Amino acid sequence: MGAELEAPAEIPPELRHRAPLSYPNPLAGNPAGLKKAVSVTGLEGGTAELADPKYTRLALALMNMNAVHGGAACHWGGPAAFAEIMSAIHGIMFAAADWKAAFNFVNDAGHAENGIYALKANYGYAGLDWADLKGFRSVSSKLTGHGESHLFADGVMVSNGPLGSGLPIAQGLALADKIAANERVTVCSISDGAMMEGEAKEAAAAIPGMARCGQLNPFVLILSDNNTKLSGRIDEMSFGMKPSFTAMHDLGWAVIEVEDGHDLQAVYNGMENAVKSASNHPEKPVFLWVKTIKGKGVAKTEQSSSGGHGYPLKNGSELRPFLEEINGGPVTEEPFAGWMAELEAEAKAKAEAAAAKPKSSGPKANKVQAGYPAAMITAAEAGKPVVSVSADLQGSTGVAPFHAAFPQFSYDVGIAESNMVSVATGLSKQGYIPVVDTFVQFGVTKGNLPLTMGVLSQSPCLAVFSHCGFQDAADGASHQGLYYIAATAAIPHLTQYCAASAEEAEWAMGSAIEQFCTARAAGKSPDSVLFFCGRENFPVSIKPDGASYAWGKAMVLADTTAGKDKSVTISAVGYMAAHALTAAERLAEQGIGAIVLQNSTPNKPDVAGHQAALAKTGGKLVTLEDHQKVAGAGAILVAALAEAGATPAVKILGVDGAFGQSAYSAIELYDQYGMGPDGVVAAATAL
């Protein structure tokens, strides 16, 4: 046997701490007081004034309706479940003489951030008022779809879109406070769905271990456990989380349970106990396990299998009974009654305008992603071993029709993108054709290493990564994957495919499945193929008459160069081709010709096709992509052309090193960042 390890030497007190760099905290200080309050009794007697959860839900419903009228998606179920939890947390934090010195607060339930905006408007925190909520998710508001500290620095400490990422950040905050010798408690709120993520599980294991070693300041984790995620009940759709939560005790957490998360008194006292316990025993963090109902406040959403995850109302004409159910009777208090009337009038005006508007005779439109499940179903019906592996978003990515047609070959691994891709690697190794799906922001980040390991193990997969770039307009910067091409372009044996239409998406997925089968039959490993698409509607087909799709070839979508003295090549990626075609029409009116190419495989561009177009347009090139300029499709294309001896005059259109923000629709952001049709026309004219 080897010698026993010696215990680490005790660190002298004077060497335990070190001051951090001077970095001013931009968060607003304590608010002045509440507009709509309710009283609770503390554990040691006395009363506390908390934000009334009923008014949080009323404001939440109204602000969501404003966003829906603007054209944005938004969330009701999660923030409705969190209303009492957030009321208790903020009541305790804001009761401190200087809440910023006493607490860190991280919300890892990004879908609940709009409920926090409503609560903060009740407090008047960071200058918010009820009227500010009306701009929620608009391009002119700092109240984005998920909390964004780069836009709302005085109101949001940590940006919180990707589930499970806030808890490990909170761990870092508690560690920093320990090093700096700050007397501060870190509080983190999280949903049961977020606790499925690997990084959340890693932090849940690490926090009690580090605390036991004296490395963390007091830590409180509050869970909203409602057994519900986007695709339905967690224990029915994937796996129950109760064993994971029960195991928190064995991991080293002090567990406090609150059986009714909508009993504000019970939640408040539970939170009091949690903060007291963590403060008195920083070596043992506290896990406050609160049972909630997603969509609380309205029977229909409470009973929904998704808990009313999005927002169930389509316009203000449906709003009054929804609000009356929340309120428990007619809504007469201001500003809610007046706000409701405004939205009802707006809905009526919209309906009248829609009825008077002539029906469009333009091309049929649909989401690009609609083509992918169609091809998957066709292949499965032909006996090909196609298997779908999802991470709760199959309804949003468009893959749900395959799940409905072939439930026996469809699996939901929960909110765990890394696990999803790795599971697909195992399926591929055994001879199946796995198709994974999620939002691009999560697929290329949390799935990046598993994608690499898959091709390294000769076990590729196909992927539908939707909501690319600004196409996830309303959710804001945290969900807008503006570097998906750069993040995956250099992975060997991987092809990126960006379809411009649902028709092309169906062809491309069918072609990829056939290539998969052909390669396996020859004893070879096919490429992994990542299909990138948006979420908004585009023409079902933009393929010119007589043209045909060809893998790896840039299709000529339009050529208006005949008879023009000046012309330009426009190379557009995927659905951005629709904007390029509009720009080409406008340029033609100005006497400038254009060849519009659909650069469908950005990491393997068709150099010969682009060279042929450039030869006709005097070597002038505009590239257009829903992506950062750095290391994107334009940069890859220009490098490939240069290597082939072509040096065109170039304008690369994309995002120039900035984060995005919420907007009601993507076109607002394309115009703001110079990537819409006007931006293409300006770039072409400049060349």
Side-chain angles (χ1 to χ4, degrees):
M1 295 179 64
E4 292 186 5
L5 294 174
E6 294 183 4
E10 183 69 19
I11 300 173
E14 65 273 14
L15 298 180
R16 285 179 182 273
H17 307 294
R18 178 157 293 175
L21 297 173
S22 178
Y23 185 73
N25 186 340
L27 288 170
N30 290 45
L34 286 160
K35 304 176 185 73
K36 303 292 184 181
V38 63
S39 297
V40 293
T41 303
L43 289 172
E44 298 179 0
T47 60
E49 296 292 297
L50 305 184
D52 191 333
K54 180 180 76 173
Y55 292 97
T56 295
R57 292 188 176 96
L58 285 172
L60 173 65
L62 287 160
M63 65 193 283
N64 279 2
M65 195 77 266
N66 268 104
V68 169
H69 276 189
C74 46
H75 298 291
W76 159 257
F82 264 103
E84 284 77 15
I85 292 174
M86 293 303 177
S87 178
I89 290 173
H90 286 80
I92 288 174
M93 291 194 304
F94 289 160
D98 179 356
W99 89 268
K100 293 193 297 181
F103 292 96
N104 295 311
F105 174 63
V106 174
N107 174 34
D108 200 349
H111 292 159
E113 192 70 23
N114 49 345
I116 301 177
Y117 295 152
L119 180 146
K120 288 177 177 176
N122 191 351
Y123 273 106
Y125 180 77
L128 284 186
D129 202 349
W130 300 118
D132 296 313
L133 302 179
K134 296 180 180 181
F136 172 56
R137 290 200 171 203
S138 74
V139 72
S140 60
S141 176
K142 62 185 178 182
L143 305 184
T144 50
H146 297 261
E148 303 282 10
S149 60
H150 74 297
L151 293 177
F152 191 13
D154 53 344
V156 176
M157 184 173 193
V158 173
S159 298
N160 60 21
L163 295 178
S165 62
L167 178 54
I169 293 174
Q171 177 184 345
L173 293 172
L175 174 59
D177 278 334
K178 188 68 175 180
I179 299 171
N182 292 329
E183 296 296 327
R184 188 152 47 200
V185 178
T186 294
V187 177
C188 179
S189 55
I190 198 165
S191 63
D192 45 5
M195 285 291 284
M196 290 180 159
E197 289 283 11
E199 55 193 312
K201 291 181 177 179
E202 291 170 9
I207 288 169
M210 296 184 72
R212 190 166 54 250
C213 294
Q215 297 173 342
L216 297 183
N217 262 31
F219 198 102
V220 176
L221 176 62
I222 305 102
L223 170 74
S224 173
D225 176 15
N226 46 63
N227 188 36
T228 310
K229 57 190 182 70
L230 176 58
S231 59
R233 303 302 180 192
I234 292 175
D235 56 3
E236 295 174 2
M237 298 300 298
S238 48
F239 53 89
M241 292 294 290
K242 185 175 181 179
S244 296
F245 302 149
T246 302
M248 294 290 278
H249 175 271
D250 291 337
L251 287 173
W253 293 81
V255 179
I256 299 174
E257 295 188 49
V258 178
E259 286 297 324
D260 184 357
H262 304 295
D263 179 342
L264 183 58
Q265 180 68 60
V267 175
Y268 179 75
N269 292 152
M271 185 65 191
E272 280 186 301
N273 270 326
V275 172
K276 181 178 180 181
S277 175
S279 299
N280 291 339
H281 302 283
E283 75 281 359
K284 197 172 186 67
V286 178
F287 178 61
L288 187 61
W289 183 358
V290 184
K291 307 294 179 59
T292 59
I293 299 172
K294 194 171 181 180
K296 179 66 176 178
V298 176
K300 183 179 179 180
T301 55
E302 290 178 12
Q303 295 159 10
S304 165
S305 62
S306 70
H309 179 82
Y311 191 55
L313 307 184
K314 295 180 180 179
N315 61 65
S317 65
E318 306 169 331
L319 184 60
R320 186 174 293 269
F322 195 84
L323 293 177
E324 288 180 346
E325 186 171 353
I326 296 169
N327 195 50
V331 179
T332 58
E333 290 186 70
E334 295 298 345
F336 309 105
W339 192 353
M340 176 176 63
E342 288 176 15
L343 288 165
E344 287 176 324
E346 190 174 305
K348 182 179 179 182
K350 282 178 175 286
E352 291 173 350
K357 186 178 180 180
K359 292 185 178 180
S360 174
S361 58
K364 184 179 179 183
N366 198 359
K367 294 182 179 181
V368 173
Q369 62 218 55
Y372 298 123
M376 294 164 63
I377 290 169
T378 298
E381 288 175 341
K384 293 181 173 60
V386 177
V387 178
S388 173
V389 186
S390 298
D392 191 40
L393 290 174
Q394 56 268 28
S396 298
T397 61
V399 176
F402 182 86
H403 284 234
F406 290 95
Q408 69 274 34
F409 302 130
S410 301
Y411 304 92
D412 186 332
V413 299
I415 305 170
E417 295 81 8
S418 294
N419 185 43
M420 173 185 69
V421 178
S422 293
V423 167
T425 297
L427 285 163
S428 180
K429 198 69 176 179
Q430 297 283 36
Y432 292 93
I433 306 172
V435 183
V436 301
D437 67 280
T438 187
F439 290 3
V440 72
Q441 178 75 322
F442 311 142
V444 304
T445 53
K446 299 186 180 188
N448 196 294
L449 181 58
L451 285 168
T452 301
M453 295 308 296
V455 292
L456 185 59
S457 301
Q458 302 82 50
S459 304
C461 70
L462 307 180
V464 176
F465 289 160
S466 68
H467 294 59
C468 289
F470 288 144
Q471 282 290 295
D472 197 357
D475 277 327
S478 64
H479 279 50
Q480 291 163 353
L482 289 166
Y483 45 82
Y484 55 96
I485 293 171
T488 56
I491 299 176
H493 310 300
L494 182 146
T495 299
Q496 300 172 328
Y497 199 102
C498 301
S501 66
E503 178 188 83
E504 184 182 0
E506 183 173 358
W507 172 85
M509 175 62 79
S511 181
I513 291 172
E514 288 297 329
Q515 292 176 48
F516 210 111
C517 294
T518 300
R520 287 300 197 205
K524 299 178 181 179
S525 180
D527 272 12
S528 280
V529 181
L530 309 186
F531 293 100
F532 298 129
C533 60
R535 70 175 296 272
E536 297 180 0
N537 286 339
F538 293 89
V540 169
S541 175
I542 57 174
K543 179 168 65 68
D545 292 340
S548 59
Y549 297 112
W551 193 270
K553 299 298 181 182
M555 179 179 286
V556 177
L557 300 177
D559 185 344
T560 62
T561 58
K564 304 289 196 307
D565 293 330
K566 299 177 181 179
S567 58
V568 64
T569 294
I570 305 173
S571 177
V573 176
Y575 50 81
M576 298 299 281
H579 298 313
L581 288 170
T582 300
E585 293 174 359
R586 296 180 186 175
L587 286 167
E589 293 171 357
Q590 300 177 23
I592 300 174
I595 296 177
V596 178
L597 298 178
Q598 163 29 358
N599 182 10
S600 59
T601 52
N603 72 325
K604 298 179 180 180
D606 176 10
V607 174
H610 281 83
Q611 284 179 310
L614 288 167
K616 291 183 65 177
T617 60
K620 297 179 177 62
L621 174 65
V622 174
T623 70
L624 177 63
E625 59 194 295
D626 195 359
H627 190 275
Q628 296 285 350
K629 291 182 182 181
V630 173
I636 294 171
L637 173 61
V638 170
L641 287 169
E643 191 171 11
T647 54
V650 183
K651 291 285 187 181
I652 295 177
L653 299 185
V655 182
D656 196 6
F659 286 111
Q661 64 185 86
S662 285
Y664 287 155
S665 66
I667 191 63
E668 294 178 290
L669 294 170
Y670 295 141
D671 288 342
Q672 182 167 309
Y673 288 85
M675 297 156 56
D678 288 345
V680 178
V681 169
T685 304
L687 285 175

